Amino acid sequence: TIFVPVGVDEIRAEGVVRGRLRATATLREKSTADGLVVADLALEDAAAAGALDAVRTLLDGGCPVEGPQASPLGAALYNGHGEVADLLLQCGASVEGRDASVHGMTHLMSAANRGQLEMLQLLVRHGANVCRAVDGADGCMTAAWYAREGGHHAAADWLAAQHPGAERKPIPKAALNGG
């Protein structure tokens, strides 16, 4: 069986979700050619669509909350589905993001970059680190920095109010270049 992604409207249809669940049960241990597990993709699709009942059903059926390359929490946050994101966090999804240590960018930074204040508040309630920074050409880039750079000043101000280290001053370029 080959996994074929479905659109947002289709994932909401019960028949498609049931079909996805059957495929997930049958292929739970099998991978597609690029290494993604079908269950992970089904959960990511449901999370991206904001299909809370489908997400619950997949999780209750044993679907892992995070996969090797799928990020259901990232998909829910990106699309502004707070209820789905909250459920995934309650079920053990990494609040920082499973690849944050590799790629540097956290879910909080991504939401800040888009100015998603409600998603920022949700992540902080679940323990996201507002002081975490990525070193870059412009200095230490925190979530507040990403919000401010994106013109989302209300989000940046809210983040900065959470902790004194949430908004760091830029490091002068001369200091970054060795003096």
Side-chain angles (χ1 to χ4, degrees):
T1 305
I2 296 174
F3 175 79
V4 179
V6 296
V8 171
D9 293 330
E10 294 172 61
I11 192 71
R12 293 180 193 272
E14 258 186 65
V16 172
V17 171
R18 272 198 302 271
R20 224 8 120 82
L21 294 175
R22 278 193 299 277
T24 297
T26 304
L27 301 173
R28 185 171 312 281
E29 300 303 320
K30 294 182 182 178
S31 296
T32 59
D34 61 0
L36 296 178
V37 178
V38 172
D40 299 342
L41 293 172
L43 184 59
E44 188 173 60
D45 283 350
L52 185 61
D53 290 337
V55 169
R56 268 198 194 102
T57 301
L58 286 162
L59 292 170
D60 290 346
C63 183
V65 72
E66 292 177 335
Q69 294 181 3
S71 178
L73 177 58
L77 291 167
Y78 183 84
N79 290 289
H81 300 304
E83 280 186 279
V84 171
D86 189 49
L87 175 63
L88 292 166
L89 287 162
Q90 289 174 31
C91 290
S94 171
V95 72
E96 299 294 340
R98 61 175 174 52
D99 288 336
S101 60
V102 175
H103 302 294
M105 192 86 156
T106 65
H107 289 310
L108 191 70
M109 292 172 187
S110 294
N113 196 41
R114 291 186 301 280
Q116 295 176 299
L117 185 57
E118 288 180 26
M119 299 303 108
L120 295 172
Q121 292 167 338
L122 172 71
L123 289 165
V124 169
R125 275 195 310 276
H126 281 275
N129 182 355
V130 297
C131 297
R132 185 174 181 154
V134 175
D135 292 328
D138 292 321
C140 290
M141 301 174 293
T142 63
W145 181 90
Y146 280 102
R148 196 131 352 254
E149 281 293 303
H152 310 292
H153 299 290
D157 292 343
W158 184 85
L159 286 163
Q162 302 310 301
H163 190 279
E167 189 166 34
R168 301 178 187 174
K169 296 195 185 287
I171 298 171
K173 289 190 189 282
L176 290 172
N177 295 326

